[in-house]
Amino acid sequence: MNKTQLPESTGNGFLNNPQNRAIIYQVIALLFVIFLAYYFTNNMFENVEKRGITTGFSFLDDVAGFGISQTLVEYSDATSSYYDVFVIGLLNTLLVSVIGVVFASVLGLLIGVGRLSANYLISRLSLVYIETFRNIPILLQILFWYNVVLASLPSPRQSFSYFDSFFLNNRGLLTPEPIFESGSGFIFTAVILSIVGVFFLARWAKKRHDLSGEEFPIFKVSVAILVLSPVLVYFVTGQPIGAEYPELKGFNFKGGITIIPELLALIFALSIYTATYIAEAVRAGIEAVPPGQKEAAKSLGLKDHVILRKVVLPQALRVIIPPVINQYLNLVKNSSLATAIGYPELVTLFSGTTLNQVGQAIEIILMTMAVYLTISIVISLVLNWVNAKMAIKGR
Protein backbone atom coordinates (compact mmCIF):
# COMPACT_ATOMS: atom_id res chain seq x y z
CA MET A 1 0.00 0.00 0.00
CA ASN A 2 1.26 3.43 -0.82
CA LYS A 3 2.41 5.38 2.21
CA THR A 4 0.43 8.43 1.13
CA GLN A 5 -2.79 6.39 1.06
CA LEU A 6 -2.56 5.38 4.74
CA PRO A 7 -4.52 7.40 7.35
CA GLU A 8 -2.65 9.34 9.97
CA SER A 9 -1.81 7.73 13.34
CA THR A 10 -4.59 8.08 15.98
CA GLY A 11 -2.53 7.12 19.07
CA ASN A 12 0.90 6.64 20.55
CA GLY A 13 0.87 2.80 20.61
CA PHE A 14 2.88 0.79 18.07
CA LEU A 15 -0.19 -0.98 16.71
CA ASN A 16 -2.19 2.24 16.57
CA ASN A 17 0.00 3.39 13.70
CA PRO A 18 -1.64 2.28 10.39
CA GLN A 19 1.73 2.12 8.68
CA ASN A 20 3.07 -0.29 11.30
CA ARG A 21 -0.05 -2.43 11.03
CA ALA A 22 0.24 -2.55 7.24
CA ILE A 23 3.83 -3.79 7.52
CA ILE A 24 2.86 -6.43 10.09
CA TYR A 25 0.00 -7.73 7.90
CA GLN A 26 2.32 -7.99 4.89
CA VAL A 27 4.97 -9.83 6.91
CA ILE A 28 2.35 -12.26 8.22
CA ALA A 29 1.04 -12.88 4.68
CA LEU A 30 4.56 -13.49 3.40
CA LEU A 31 5.36 -15.92 6.23
CA PHE A 32 2.11 -17.77 5.52
CA VAL A 33 3.00 -18.17 1.84
CA ILE A 34 6.50 -19.40 2.77
CA PHE A 35 5.01 -21.87 5.24
CA LEU A 36 2.60 -23.26 2.61
CA ALA A 37 5.40 -23.63 0.07
CA TYR A 38 7.61 -25.39 2.63
CA TYR A 39 4.78 -27.66 3.77
CA PHE A 40 3.78 -28.84 0.30
CA THR A 41 7.39 -29.21 -0.88
CA ASN A 42 8.37 -31.19 2.19
CA ASN A 43 5.25 -33.33 1.87
CA MET A 44 6.01 -34.02 -1.77
CA PHE A 45 9.59 -35.16 -1.08
CA GLU A 46 8.44 -37.35 1.83
CA ASN A 47 5.95 -39.11 -0.45
CA VAL A 48 8.58 -39.51 -3.16
CA GLU A 49 11.00 -41.05 -0.63
CA LYS A 50 8.36 -43.42 0.78
CA ARG A 51 7.55 -44.71 -2.72
CA GLY A 52 11.22 -45.24 -3.52
CA ILE A 53 11.14 -42.90 -6.55
CA THR A 54 14.57 -41.75 -7.69
CA THR A 55 15.06 -37.98 -7.74
CA GLY A 56 17.63 -35.74 -9.36
CA PHE A 57 18.72 -35.03 -12.92
CA SER A 58 21.21 -37.87 -13.36
CA PHE A 59 18.73 -39.60 -15.71
CA LEU A 60 19.63 -37.01 -18.36
CA ASP A 61 22.92 -38.89 -18.96
CA ASP A 62 21.22 -42.26 -19.51
CA VAL A 63 20.79 -43.66 -23.03
CA ALA A 64 17.30 -42.94 -24.37
CA GLY A 65 17.10 -45.94 -26.70
CA PHE A 66 14.12 -44.91 -28.83
CA GLY A 67 13.81 -43.43 -32.29
CA ILE A 68 12.67 -39.92 -33.24
CA SER A 69 11.05 -39.18 -36.60
CA GLN A 70 12.50 -35.66 -36.97
CA THR A 71 15.77 -34.35 -35.54
CA LEU A 72 17.52 -31.05 -36.28
CA VAL A 73 20.75 -32.28 -34.67
CA GLU A 74 22.57 -35.60 -34.81
CA TYR A 75 20.78 -38.34 -32.88
CA SER A 76 21.36 -42.06 -32.46
CA ASP A 77 18.92 -44.55 -30.96
CA ALA A 78 21.82 -46.52 -29.44
CA THR A 79 24.00 -43.80 -27.92
CA SER A 80 22.06 -40.55 -27.50
CA SER A 81 20.93 -39.59 -24.00
CA TYR A 82 17.74 -38.16 -22.55
CA TYR A 83 19.46 -34.77 -22.57
CA ASP A 84 19.76 -35.09 -26.36
CA VAL A 85 16.06 -35.91 -26.45
CA PHE A 86 15.33 -32.76 -24.44
CA VAL A 87 17.39 -30.63 -26.85
CA ILE A 88 15.71 -32.15 -29.91
CA GLY A 89 12.26 -31.58 -28.42
CA LEU A 90 13.16 -27.99 -27.62
CA LEU A 91 14.50 -27.35 -31.16
CA ASN A 92 11.41 -28.89 -32.75
CA THR A 93 9.18 -26.72 -30.56
CA LEU A 94 11.12 -23.62 -31.59
CA LEU A 95 10.95 -24.68 -35.25
CA VAL A 96 7.16 -24.98 -35.18
CA SER A 97 6.83 -21.73 -33.23
CA VAL A 98 9.02 -19.65 -35.55
CA ILE A 99 7.43 -20.97 -38.75
CA GLY A 100 3.95 -20.62 -37.28
CA VAL A 101 4.55 -17.04 -36.14
CA VAL A 102 5.85 -16.02 -39.59
CA PHE A 103 2.99 -17.60 -41.55
CA ALA A 104 0.32 -16.44 -39.09
CA SER A 105 1.64 -12.86 -39.21
CA VAL A 106 1.66 -12.68 -43.00
CA LEU A 107 -1.73 -14.39 -43.35
CA GLY A 108 -3.27 -12.33 -40.53
CA LEU A 109 -2.08 -9.07 -42.09
CA LEU A 110 -3.51 -9.98 -45.51
CA ILE A 111 -6.84 -11.15 -44.09
CA GLY A 112 -7.08 -8.11 -41.79
CA VAL A 113 -6.52 -5.72 -44.69
CA GLY A 114 -8.89 -7.75 -46.86
CA ARG A 115 -11.54 -7.51 -44.15
CA LEU A 116 -11.63 -3.72 -44.71
CA SER A 117 -11.40 -3.91 -48.49
CA ALA A 118 -13.89 -1.92 -50.54
CA ASN A 119 -14.26 -5.02 -52.72
CA TYR A 120 -17.38 -6.78 -51.43
CA LEU A 121 -16.22 -10.30 -52.36
CA ILE A 122 -12.80 -9.96 -50.69
CA SER A 123 -14.33 -8.44 -47.56
CA ARG A 124 -16.96 -11.19 -47.26
CA LEU A 125 -14.46 -13.99 -47.92
CA SER A 126 -12.17 -12.57 -45.23
CA LEU A 127 -15.08 -12.44 -42.80
CA VAL A 128 -16.05 -16.06 -43.58
CA TYR A 129 -12.45 -17.16 -43.08
CA ILE A 130 -12.22 -15.47 -39.68
CA GLU A 131 -15.56 -16.69 -38.37
CA THR A 132 -14.97 -20.24 -39.62
CA PHE A 133 -11.49 -20.99 -38.33
CA ARG A 134 -11.73 -18.89 -35.17
CA ASN A 135 -14.71 -20.84 -33.88
CA ILE A 136 -13.31 -24.34 -34.41
CA PRO A 137 -11.09 -25.67 -31.59
CA ILE A 138 -7.44 -25.73 -32.55
CA LEU A 139 -7.08 -29.41 -31.60
CA LEU A 140 -9.82 -30.37 -34.06
CA GLN A 141 -8.12 -28.36 -36.78
CA ILE A 142 -4.83 -30.17 -36.15
CA LEU A 143 -6.60 -33.53 -36.38
CA PHE A 144 -8.44 -32.38 -39.53
CA TRP A 145 -5.27 -31.44 -41.40
CA TYR A 146 -3.45 -34.58 -40.27
CA ASN A 147 -6.15 -37.27 -40.49
CA VAL A 148 -8.31 -35.90 -43.32
CA VAL A 149 -6.26 -33.70 -45.65
CA LEU A 150 -2.70 -35.04 -45.48
CA ALA A 151 -3.70 -38.67 -44.94
CA SER A 152 -5.70 -38.59 -48.19
CA LEU A 153 -2.66 -37.65 -50.28
CA PRO A 154 -1.37 -40.30 -52.72
CA SER A 155 1.37 -42.81 -51.96
CA PRO A 156 5.00 -42.03 -52.93
CA ARG A 157 4.63 -43.71 -56.34
CA GLN A 158 1.74 -41.37 -57.25
CA SER A 159 3.23 -38.25 -55.65
CA PHE A 160 2.34 -34.77 -56.80
CA SER A 161 5.46 -33.51 -58.56
CA TYR A 162 6.50 -29.87 -58.92
CA PHE A 163 9.35 -29.06 -61.34
CA ASP A 164 10.67 -32.62 -60.76
CA SER A 165 12.25 -31.28 -57.57
CA PHE A 166 9.43 -31.07 -55.04
CA PHE A 167 7.17 -34.02 -54.25
CA LEU A 168 4.08 -34.19 -52.06
CA ASN A 169 2.59 -37.47 -50.82
CA ASN A 170 1.14 -39.03 -47.68
CA ARG A 171 4.65 -39.30 -46.21
CA GLY A 172 5.27 -35.58 -46.37
CA LEU A 173 6.77 -32.89 -48.58
CA LEU A 174 10.16 -33.68 -50.14
CA THR A 175 12.45 -30.86 -51.17
CA PRO A 176 16.05 -30.63 -52.46
CA GLU A 177 18.72 -30.62 -49.75
CA PRO A 178 21.46 -27.97 -50.11
CA ILE A 179 25.03 -29.30 -50.16
CA PHE A 180 27.58 -26.81 -48.84
CA GLU A 181 31.10 -27.13 -50.20
CA SER A 182 34.33 -25.24 -49.61
CA GLY A 183 33.84 -21.52 -50.27
CA SER A 184 30.17 -21.42 -49.29
CA GLY A 185 31.14 -19.34 -46.25
CA PHE A 186 31.74 -16.38 -48.58
CA ILE A 187 28.10 -16.53 -49.63
CA PHE A 188 26.88 -16.44 -46.03
CA THR A 189 29.22 -13.54 -45.38
CA ALA A 190 27.73 -11.73 -48.39
CA VAL A 191 24.22 -12.34 -47.03
CA ILE A 192 25.13 -10.93 -43.61
CA LEU A 193 26.85 -7.89 -45.12
CA SER A 194 23.84 -7.32 -47.39
CA ILE A 195 21.47 -7.33 -44.40
CA VAL A 196 23.70 -4.89 -42.52
CA GLY A 197 23.93 -2.68 -45.61
CA VAL A 198 20.16 -2.65 -46.06
CA PHE A 199 19.73 -1.73 -42.40
CA PHE A 200 21.95 1.35 -42.69
CA LEU A 201 20.49 2.20 -46.10
CA ALA A 202 16.98 2.20 -44.59
CA ARG A 203 18.12 4.53 -41.81
CA TRP A 204 19.71 6.86 -44.35
CA ALA A 205 16.57 6.84 -46.52
CA LYS A 206 14.38 7.68 -43.53
CA LYS A 207 16.63 10.54 -42.47
CA ARG A 208 16.71 11.82 -46.07
CA HIS A 209 12.94 11.69 -46.25
CA ASP A 210 12.56 13.56 -42.94
CA LEU A 211 14.90 16.32 -44.09
CA SER A 212 13.90 16.74 -47.72
CA GLY A 213 10.58 14.93 -48.12
CA GLU A 214 12.00 13.01 -51.10
CA GLU A 215 11.16 9.34 -51.44
CA PHE A 216 13.88 6.76 -51.99
CA PRO A 217 12.97 3.39 -53.57
CA ILE A 218 14.19 1.57 -50.48
CA PHE A 219 12.18 -1.62 -51.11
CA LYS A 220 13.38 -2.20 -54.66
CA VAL A 221 16.98 -1.30 -53.82
CA SER A 222 16.97 -3.52 -50.71
CA VAL A 223 15.62 -6.51 -52.64
CA ALA A 224 18.25 -5.95 -55.32
CA ILE A 225 21.05 -5.85 -52.73
CA LEU A 226 19.78 -8.89 -50.82
CA VAL A 227 19.38 -10.98 -53.99
CA LEU A 228 22.14 -9.83 -56.32
CA SER A 229 25.01 -9.69 -53.81
CA PRO A 230 24.85 -13.38 -52.73
CA VAL A 231 24.17 -14.48 -56.33
CA LEU A 232 27.19 -12.56 -57.59
CA VAL A 233 29.42 -14.06 -54.88
CA TYR A 234 27.96 -17.50 -55.67
CA PHE A 235 29.17 -17.37 -59.27
CA VAL A 236 32.47 -15.64 -58.46
CA THR A 237 33.41 -18.36 -55.94
CA GLY A 238 32.64 -21.17 -58.40
CA GLN A 239 29.11 -22.16 -57.33
CA PRO A 240 30.08 -23.87 -54.03
CA ILE A 241 26.47 -24.71 -53.06
CA GLY A 242 24.82 -27.66 -54.76
CA ALA A 243 21.67 -29.66 -54.05
CA GLU A 244 20.69 -33.28 -53.56
CA TYR A 245 17.31 -33.98 -55.15
CA PRO A 246 14.89 -36.60 -53.83
CA GLU A 247 14.59 -39.70 -56.06
CA LEU A 248 12.01 -42.45 -56.01
CA LYS A 249 13.77 -45.74 -55.25
CA GLY A 250 11.56 -48.73 -54.61
CA PHE A 251 8.57 -47.83 -52.50
CA ASN A 252 9.85 -44.51 -51.18
CA PHE A 253 12.01 -41.49 -51.98
CA LYS A 254 15.68 -41.31 -51.07
CA GLY A 255 17.69 -38.14 -50.55
CA GLY A 256 16.54 -34.55 -50.13
CA ILE A 257 14.76 -33.13 -47.12
CA THR A 258 11.51 -34.68 -45.91
CA ILE A 259 9.03 -32.44 -44.09
CA ILE A 260 6.95 -34.97 -42.21
CA PRO A 261 3.10 -34.76 -42.34
CA GLU A 262 2.89 -34.11 -38.60
CA LEU A 263 4.90 -30.90 -39.01
CA LEU A 264 2.84 -29.80 -42.02
CA ALA A 265 -0.45 -30.41 -40.20
CA LEU A 266 0.74 -28.54 -37.14
CA ILE A 267 1.96 -25.52 -39.12
CA PHE A 268 -1.24 -25.36 -41.20
CA ALA A 269 -3.50 -25.53 -38.15
CA LEU A 270 -1.55 -23.15 -35.91
CA SER A 271 -0.99 -20.56 -38.67
CA ILE A 272 -4.57 -20.55 -39.94
CA TYR A 273 -6.09 -20.49 -36.45
CA THR A 274 -3.80 -17.77 -35.03
CA ALA A 275 -4.12 -15.67 -38.20
CA THR A 276 -7.82 -15.15 -37.49
CA TYR A 277 -7.07 -13.31 -34.24
CA ILE A 278 -4.18 -11.39 -35.78
CA ALA A 279 -6.49 -10.34 -38.64
CA GLU A 280 -8.99 -8.93 -36.15
CA ALA A 281 -6.17 -7.07 -34.36
CA VAL A 282 -5.05 -5.64 -37.71
CA ARG A 283 -8.60 -4.57 -38.54
CA ALA A 284 -9.01 -2.90 -35.15
CA GLY A 285 -5.67 -1.12 -35.53
CA ILE A 286 -6.48 0.22 -38.98
CA GLU A 287 -9.92 1.41 -37.90
CA ALA A 288 -8.31 3.20 -34.94
CA VAL A 289 -6.45 5.52 -37.33
CA PRO A 290 -8.45 8.77 -37.66
CA PRO A 291 -10.21 9.01 -41.07
CA GLY A 292 -8.76 12.48 -41.50
CA GLN A 293 -5.30 10.95 -41.88
CA LYS A 294 -6.41 8.94 -44.92
CA GLU A 295 -8.37 11.85 -46.38
CA ALA A 296 -5.35 14.13 -46.04
CA ALA A 297 -3.16 11.54 -47.76
CA LYS A 298 -5.69 11.17 -50.58
CA SER A 299 -5.85 14.91 -51.04
CA LEU A 300 -2.10 14.82 -51.69
CA GLY A 301 -2.70 12.40 -54.53
CA LEU A 302 -1.22 9.32 -52.87
CA LYS A 303 -2.38 5.94 -54.12
CA ASP A 304 -4.27 3.56 -51.83
CA HIS A 305 -1.39 1.11 -51.34
CA VAL A 306 0.97 3.99 -50.55
CA ILE A 307 -1.50 5.40 -48.01
CA LEU A 308 -1.79 1.97 -46.41
CA ARG A 309 1.99 1.46 -46.25
CA LYS A 310 3.09 5.00 -45.39
CA VAL A 311 0.22 6.45 -43.37
CA VAL A 312 -2.13 3.82 -41.98
CA LEU A 313 0.01 0.84 -40.96
CA PRO A 314 2.72 2.81 -39.09
CA GLN A 315 0.03 4.31 -36.86
CA ALA A 316 -2.04 1.15 -36.65
CA LEU A 317 0.92 -0.92 -35.44
CA ARG A 318 0.79 0.83 -32.07
CA VAL A 319 -2.68 -0.65 -31.57
CA ILE A 320 -1.95 -3.98 -33.28
CA ILE A 321 1.19 -5.07 -31.41
CA PRO A 322 -0.19 -5.58 -27.84
CA PRO A 323 -2.92 -8.11 -28.83
CA VAL A 324 -0.58 -9.75 -31.33
CA ILE A 325 1.88 -10.46 -28.50
CA ASN A 326 -0.81 -12.56 -26.81
CA GLN A 327 -1.45 -14.46 -30.04
CA TYR A 328 2.23 -15.28 -30.47
CA LEU A 329 2.32 -16.58 -26.90
CA ASN A 330 -0.81 -18.66 -27.53
CA LEU A 331 0.71 -20.10 -30.70
CA VAL A 332 3.82 -21.24 -28.82
CA LYS A 333 1.76 -22.83 -26.07
CA ASN A 334 -0.67 -24.41 -28.53
CA SER A 335 2.26 -26.15 -30.20
CA SER A 336 2.19 -28.57 -27.26
CA LEU A 337 -1.03 -30.00 -28.79
CA ALA A 338 1.25 -31.67 -31.31
CA THR A 339 1.35 -34.61 -28.95
CA ALA A 340 -2.13 -35.53 -30.30
CA ILE A 341 -0.63 -36.43 -33.70
CA GLY A 342 2.76 -37.61 -32.46
CA TYR A 343 4.93 -34.74 -33.70
CA PRO A 344 8.23 -34.96 -31.76
CA GLU A 345 8.21 -31.63 -29.95
CA LEU A 346 9.08 -31.06 -26.29
CA VAL A 347 5.88 -32.33 -24.65
CA THR A 348 5.69 -35.43 -26.84
CA LEU A 349 9.34 -36.43 -26.42
CA PHE A 350 10.19 -35.26 -22.94
CA SER A 351 6.94 -35.10 -20.95
CA GLY A 352 5.60 -38.09 -22.86
CA THR A 353 8.04 -40.80 -23.91
CA THR A 354 10.87 -39.86 -21.52
CA LEU A 355 8.54 -39.52 -18.54
CA ASN A 356 7.00 -42.92 -19.25
CA GLN A 357 10.44 -44.53 -19.34
CA VAL A 358 12.17 -42.91 -16.34
CA GLY A 359 9.13 -42.02 -14.19
CA GLN A 360 10.64 -38.83 -12.73
CA ALA A 361 7.62 -36.60 -13.20
CA ILE A 362 8.72 -33.74 -10.94
CA GLU A 363 11.98 -32.97 -12.74
CA ILE A 364 10.60 -33.54 -16.24
CA ILE A 365 7.43 -31.50 -15.80
CA LEU A 366 9.33 -28.66 -14.12
CA MET A 367 11.91 -28.57 -16.94
CA THR A 368 9.15 -28.53 -19.57
CA MET A 369 7.26 -25.76 -17.78
CA ALA A 370 10.48 -23.76 -17.43
CA VAL A 371 11.08 -23.98 -21.18
CA TYR A 372 7.63 -22.65 -22.11
CA LEU A 373 7.88 -19.95 -19.44
CA THR A 374 11.27 -18.83 -20.76
CA ILE A 375 10.12 -18.74 -24.39
CA SER A 376 7.01 -16.75 -23.47
CA ILE A 377 8.98 -14.24 -21.39
CA VAL A 378 11.50 -13.72 -24.19
CA ILE A 379 8.73 -13.11 -26.75
CA SER A 380 7.02 -10.66 -24.40
CA LEU A 381 10.23 -8.75 -23.69
CA VAL A 382 11.16 -8.44 -27.36
CA LEU A 383 7.72 -7.33 -28.56
CA ASN A 384 7.20 -4.99 -25.62
CA TRP A 385 10.53 -3.40 -26.51
CA VAL A 386 9.36 -3.01 -30.12
CA ASN A 387 6.07 -1.56 -28.92
CA ALA A 388 7.88 0.93 -26.69
CA LYS A 389 10.11 2.00 -29.59
CA MET A 390 7.05 2.65 -31.77
CA ALA A 391 5.07 4.51 -29.12
CA ILE A 392 4.38 8.16 -29.79
CA LYS A 393 6.81 10.24 -27.76
CA GLY A 394 5.25 12.42 -25.11
CA ARG A 395 2.27 10.15 -24.39
Side-chain angles (χ1 to χ4, degrees):
M1 181 179 292
N2 192 316
K3 184 178 178 180
T4 58
Q5 296 176 330
L6 294 173
E8 296 294 332
S9 174
T10 57
N12 295 327
F14 181 79
L15 294 179
N16 289 333
N17 189 325
Q19 297 177 5
N20 294 337
R21 288 203 302 271
I23 294 175
I24 292 174
Y25 293 151
Q26 293 177 49
V27 171
I28 292 174
L30 179 62
L31 292 176
F32 182 69
V33 172
I34 294 175
F35 168 76
L36 287 179
Y38 170 78
Y39 173 77
F40 286 114
T41 304
N42 188 55
N43 186 53
M44 178 185 67
F45 280 110
E46 283 183 358
N47 290 331
V48 168
E49 186 177 355
K50 286 179 182 176
R51 295 183 181 183
I53 299 175
T54 305
T55 58
F57 295 92
S58 58
F59 73 93
L60 292 172
D61 298 325
D62 297 340
V63 175
F66 58 86
I68 301 176
S69 60
Q70 176 188 291
T71 62
L72 297 179
V73 296
E74 188 176 351
Y75 177 82
S76 170
D77 301 2
T79 59
S80 295
S81 64
Y82 288 115
Y83 176 76
D84 298 321
V85 173
F86 172 77
V87 172
I88 290 170
L90 173 60
L91 291 176
N92 286 343
T93 296
L94 292 176
L95 176 68
V96 170
S97 301
V98 171
I99 296 176
V101 164
V102 172
F103 282 132
S105 301
V106 175
L107 189 58
L109 176 62
L110 295 177
I111 297 297
V113 174
R115 180 78 175 80
L116 297 172
S117 173
N119 186 301
Y120 179 82
L121 181 60
I122 294 177
S123 175
R124 293 298 102 180
L125 286 177
S126 299
L127 176 62
V128 170
Y129 169 89
I130 292 172
E131 295 302 330
T132 300
F133 291 103
R134 184 173 60 176
N135 293 308
I136 298 176
I138 179 62
L139 179 58
L140 284 179
Q141 295 192 41
I142 293 174
L143 295 175
F144 169 78
W145 284 104
Y146 183 66
N147 293 319
V148 178
V149 178
L150 296 177
S152 62
L153 290 174
S155 63
R157 286 180 176 274
Q158 286 79 38
S159 299
F160 295 119
S161 175
Y162 307 96
F163 310 107
D164 289 333
S165 301
F166 299 86
F167 302 92
L168 181 64
N169 55 54
N170 57 12
R171 297 188 182 181
L173 175 65
L174 296 101
T175 67
E177 180 180 4
I179 305 297
F180 301 103
E181 300 173 356
S182 176
S184 57
F186 292 106
I187 299 176
F188 292 110
T189 304
V191 172
I192 295 173
L193 292 177
S194 300
I195 294 173
V196 174
V198 167
F199 173 75
F200 285 104
L201 181 64
R203 294 188 61 177
W204 171 82
K206 183 177 183 302
K207 187 175 181 180
R208 177 175 180 264
H209 179 266
D210 293 341
L211 294 176
S212 64
E214 296 181 11
E215 287 286 347
F216 183 80
I218 183 65
F219 180 76
K220 296 178 181 177
V221 175
S222 299
V223 171
I225 293 175
L226 291 173
V227 174
L228 294 180
S229 298
V231 170
L232 181 62
V233 175
Y234 172 76
F235 285 106
V236 170
T237 54
Q239 306 178 19
I241 298 179
E244 181 188 29
Y245 292 86
E247 295 182 14
L248 183 62
K249 295 181 179 179
F251 295 101
N252 202 358
F253 282 87
K254 302 293 182 184
I257 296 176
T258 302
I259 303 175
I260 59 178
E262 292 82 1
L263 177 59
L264 292 174
L266 198 57
I267 290 175
F268 286 155
L270 290 176
S271 302
I272 292 173
Y273 178 77
T274 308
T276 60
Y277 291 94
I278 294 178
E280 285 297 87
V282 170
R283 181 181 65 83
I286 292 176
E287 288 187 331
V289 177
Q293 298 278 337
K294 305 171 194 174
E295 294 169 1
K298 276 192 176 181
S299 67
L300 294 175
L302 298 180
K303 297 180 180 178
D304 287 341
H305 70 277
V306 177
I307 296 174
L308 179 65
R309 185 165 53 89
K310 292 284 187 180
V311 178
V312 177
L313 283 182
Q315 299 182 74
L317 281 176
R318 301 183 182 105
V319 179
I320 293 172
I321 288 179
V324 167
I325 294 175
N326 292 331
Q327 297 312 316
Y328 287 165
L329 298 179
N330 287 336
L331 188 148
V332 174
K333 289 180 284 189
N334 285 336
S335 68
S336 62
L337 295 174
T339 191
I341 57 175
Y343 177 70
E345 46 76 56
L346 188 62
V347 173
T348 303
L349 289 179
F350 204 57
S351 296
T353 308
T354 301
L355 176 58
N356 290 333
Q357 290 194 357
V358 303
Q360 294 187 225
I362 298 173
E363 295 85 351
I364 290 175
I365 296 299
L366 287 179
M367 287 177 67
T368 307
M369 292 169 65
V371 167
Y372 280 98
L373 180 62
T374 303
I375 295 174
S376 297
I377 290 175
V378 170
I379 292 175
S380 296
L381 289 176
V382 172
L383 291 181
N384 282 326
W385 176 79
V386 173
N387 192 37
K389 295 289 288 183
M390 300 191 68
I392 297 176
K393 307 299 180 186
R395 277 189 178 180

